[in-house]
């Protein structure tokens, strides 16, 4: 069976959930071979093996942390040369997409970004994308070179599937460009204790209807009961009520959680572009004619300051 390279996103050996989702998809099209780089790479092997990696190629070097993406592209190219895979899968983070694009260019391959599903096809893997502000769903496959495909977080379930996970040291020689852009400083973001917006299984968002920065506490309280990330519409962000990094939409982040709860958000096309592929959508809006109600699975017409705290309380009660 053909091998499929999966680029591993990890923090000091702790594998991030989108990589485990990639392993689920990789198994549909071949045998997953994981590529883990940098500090803690070898420590990823057990988790990757539990989720179907037949092989784990590792390489630890300071360059991966000290320089921007090129060393990682060099390593992935070396893995590609060693394995001749049927496809290369990378998670659709900002960094993941840059790595994937550079790799595809080097390989002379076609690339598909932001896939939301992946299946085996007679002439190579077929990727599903949600395009034009999610107005269309397309299926496509790469027709030149090794398909390089980036997949949005939450596009597949994490499914344990024990495999050998044989660890092999990858031989990498860095290119002249690898050390071209050095990381000169790092400031950790203040942690909210909530999951990362683009990876969260549940997102609770607030819009102009929240009517003030201090009122976002209502949204945060619901998010915390659900273990969710907090998102915001551009109107709320532009008003300075919530950080820009939390903006969902065409010019913000694109999310695809299992559950998206929008409160005080009208559902403008630019907002929908960033959340329409969510599995279940719930909206709370006091205007029954708000366009958000056209795409919801469950809608509540009401004042969010009445509805959301009740919902939060009910969840708290049921959790006991
Ligand atoms: C090029 C471009 C890019 C853009 N990119 C983005 C983007 O990435 N993300 C994004 O979100 N927008 C984006 N926008 C802006 C977008 O067009 C909308 O203006 C924005 O999404 C509106 O935000 P909103 O729904 O919070 O506000 P509004 O459209 O003003 O809607 C507020 C809603 O809250 C409801 N409401 C008010 N009070 C309450 C209450 N107490 N309880 C319940 N409901 C209440 C109202 O009925 C209304 O439906 C972009 C626009 C452009 C032109």
């Amino acid at each position: 069976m053909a091998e499929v390279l999966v680029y591993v996103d990890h923090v000091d050996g702790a594998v991030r959930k989108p990589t485990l989702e990639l392993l689920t998809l990789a198994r549909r099209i071949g045998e997953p071979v994981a590529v883990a780089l940098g500090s803690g790479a070898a420590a990823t092997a057990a988790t990757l093996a539990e989720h179907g990696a037949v092989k784990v190629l590792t390489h630890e070097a300071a360059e991966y942390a000290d320089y921007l993406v090129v060393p990682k592209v060099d390593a992935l190219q070396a893995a590609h040369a060693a394995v001749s895979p049927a496809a290369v899968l990378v998670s659709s983070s900002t960094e993941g997409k840059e790595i994937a694009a550079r790799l595809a260019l080097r390989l002379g391959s076609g690339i598909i970004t932001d896939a939301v599903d992946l299946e085996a096809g007679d002439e190579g893997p077929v990727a599903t994308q949600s395009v034009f502000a999610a107005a269309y769903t397309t299926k496509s496959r790469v027709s030149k070179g090794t398909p390089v495909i980036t997949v949005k977080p939450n596009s597949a379930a994490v499914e344990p599937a024990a495999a050998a996970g044989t660890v092999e040291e990858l031989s990498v020689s860095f290119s002249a460009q690898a050390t071209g852009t050095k990381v000169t400083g790092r400031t950790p973001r203040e942690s909210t204790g909530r999951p990362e917006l683009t990876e969260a299984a549940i997102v609770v968002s607030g819009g102009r209807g929240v009517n003030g920065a201090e009122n976002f506490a209502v949204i945060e309280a619901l998010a915390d009961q659900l273990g969710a990330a907090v998102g915001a519409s551009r109107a709320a962000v532009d008003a300075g009520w919530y950080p820009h990094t939390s903006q969902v939409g065409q010019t913000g982040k694109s999310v695809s959680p299992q559950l998206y709860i929008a409160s005080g958000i009208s559902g403008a096309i630019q907002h929908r572009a960033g959340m329409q592929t969510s599995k279940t959508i719930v909206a709370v809006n006091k205007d029954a004619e708000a366009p958000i109600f056209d795409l919801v699975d469950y809608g509540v017409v009401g004042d969010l300051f009445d509805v959301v705290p009740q919902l939060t309380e009910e969840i708290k009660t049921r959790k006991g």
Side-chain angles (χ1 to χ4, degrees):
M1 198 186 224
E3 291 172 314
V4 177
L5 281 187
V6 171
Y7 175 76
V8 177
D9 187 5
H10 71 99
V11 180
D12 292 329
V15 181
R16 300 183 73 180
K17 186 168 154 268
T19 299
L20 303 179
E21 296 163 4
L22 288 185
L23 287 170
T24 300
L25 295 174
R27 290 202 306 275
R28 292 186 193 160
I29 52 177
E31 292 195 319
V33 174
V35 182
L37 307 170
S39 163
T44 61
T47 308
L48 296 170
E50 281 164 21
H51 292 86
V54 294
K55 213 185 286 177
V56 182
L57 304 177
T58 64
H59 189 245
E60 300 200 15
E63 279 83 349
Y64 298 117
D66 291 349
Y67 298 90
L68 295 185
V69 296
V70 184
K72 294 169 182 165
V73 181
D74 288 345
L76 215 41
Q77 189 176 14
H80 179 272
V83 171
S84 300
V88 182
L89 306 186
V90 183
S91 182
S92 274
S93 61
T94 310
E95 182 180 90
K97 282 195 267 192
E98 185 173 353
I99 291 171
R102 285 173 181 262
L103 178 73
L105 191 65
R106 287 199 194 176
L107 300 177
S109 290
I111 181 170
I112 295 172
T113 56
D114 289 337
V116 294
D117 203 3
L118 210 55
E119 61 201 298
D122 294 340
E123 296 170 80
V126 176
T128 304
Q129 286 164 297
S130 177
V131 300
F132 292 135
Y136 289 86
T137 298
T138 63
K139 284 187 185 281
S140 40
R141 70 174 170 78
V142 167
S143 56
K144 181 169 182 278
T146 306
V148 178
I149 302 171
T150 77
V151 182
K152 279 190 178 188
N154 290 309
S155 294
V158 173
E159 289 168 3
T166 315
V167 179
E168 282 180 22
E169 170 86 14
L170 182 67
S171 166
V172 182
S173 40
F174 291 120
S175 61
Q177 297 91 331
T179 52
T181 34
K182 188 165 171 49
V183 176
T184 57
R186 279 197 170 82
T187 312
R189 191 181 50 196
E190 219 170 280
S191 173
T192 58
R194 299 190 184 99
E196 163 66 31
L197 183 58
T198 53
E199 294 172 12
I202 305 177
V203 174
V204 180
S205 286
R208 203 194 305 272
V210 175
N211 198 25
E214 64 289 353
N215 297 342
F216 256 86
V218 172
I219 303 295
E220 289 177 336
L222 175 59
D224 290 342
Q225 276 307 317
L226 292 168
V230 175
S233 72
R234 178 157 155 185
V237 167
D238 283 352
W241 301 340
Y242 225 67
H244 177 68
T245 46
S246 302
Q247 184 181 316
V248 172
Q250 186 183 315
T251 43
K253 296 211 169 119
S254 193
V255 301
S256 203
Q258 296 297 323
L259 173 63
Y260 187 89
I261 304 179
S263 296
I265 293 177
S266 62
I269 183 83
Q270 296 89 354
H271 187 80
R272 293 162 69 143
M275 46 65 75
Q276 199 158 4
T277 55
S278 305
K279 307 292 176 297
T280 301
I281 299 172
V282 177
V284 180
N285 196 304
K286 65 182 183 186
D287 174 10
E289 303 298 320
I292 190 96
F293 287 127
D294 294 343
L295 75 148
V296 297
D297 297 284
Y298 301 96
V300 182
V301 179
D303 189 318
L304 73 91
F305 296 105
D306 290 335
V307 178
V308 175
Q310 286 185 56
L311 185 55
T312 307
E313 272 312 306
E314 185 63 25
I315 293 165
K316 199 190 258 177
T317 309
R318 291 199 186 197
K319 277 163 70 182

